């Protein structure tokens, strides 16, 4: 039974630092992705029209880092919230 509990604890940590790590990891992965893709950003304009904008690798890294941080914050917060509900807040 403890192995199931430890698997759940790994999937849903209750340590507040987990959210910070999730944001940092998301930002780093997003920045690397943005720089590697050459900074091509696709935007959806009003009316559903799509437009691709090519920017430099540095701007792509900034854009990707921001998007990655947001994704990391969302997923990290959800997993942390479930962990707190299951195990209580870590001290």
């Amino acid at each position: 039974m403890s192995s199931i509990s430890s698997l759940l604890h790994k999937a849903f940590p209750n340590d507040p630092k987990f959210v910070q790590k999730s944001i940092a990891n998301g930002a780093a992965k997003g920045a690397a992705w943005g720089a590697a893709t050459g900074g091509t950003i696709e935007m959806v304009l009003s009316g559903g029209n799509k437009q691709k904008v090519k920017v430099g690798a540095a701007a792509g890294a900034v854009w990707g880092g921001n998007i990655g941080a947001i994704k990391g914050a969302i997923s990290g917060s959800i997993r942390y919230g479930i962990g707190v509900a299951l195990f209580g807040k870590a001290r």
Side-chain angles (χ1 to χ4, degrees):
M1 193 62 146
S2 67
S3 64
I4 293 172
S5 178
S6 88
L7 286 174
L8 281 173
H9 200 270
K10 282 185 180 181
F12 304 109
N14 63 340
D15 183 7
K17 291 183 180 179
F18 173 76
V19 178
Q20 295 171 348
K21 290 177 185 176
S22 180
I23 292 170
N25 287 340
K29 288 177 184 176
W33 171 82
T37 59
T40 301
I41 301 169
E42 185 174 53
M43 299 182 294
V44 179
L45 306 172
S46 61
N49 298 328
K50 293 182 180 180
Q51 178 181 2
K52 287 188 178 182
V53 178
K54 289 192 177 191
V55 295
V62 170
W63 177 266
N66 290 338
I67 297 299
I70 292 168
K71 290 168 87 175
I74 292 169
S75 66
S77 297
I78 291 170
R79 289 177 59 196
Y80 171 70
I82 293 171
V84 168
L86 289 173
F87 306 108
K89 192 171 184 180
R91 297 179 187 196

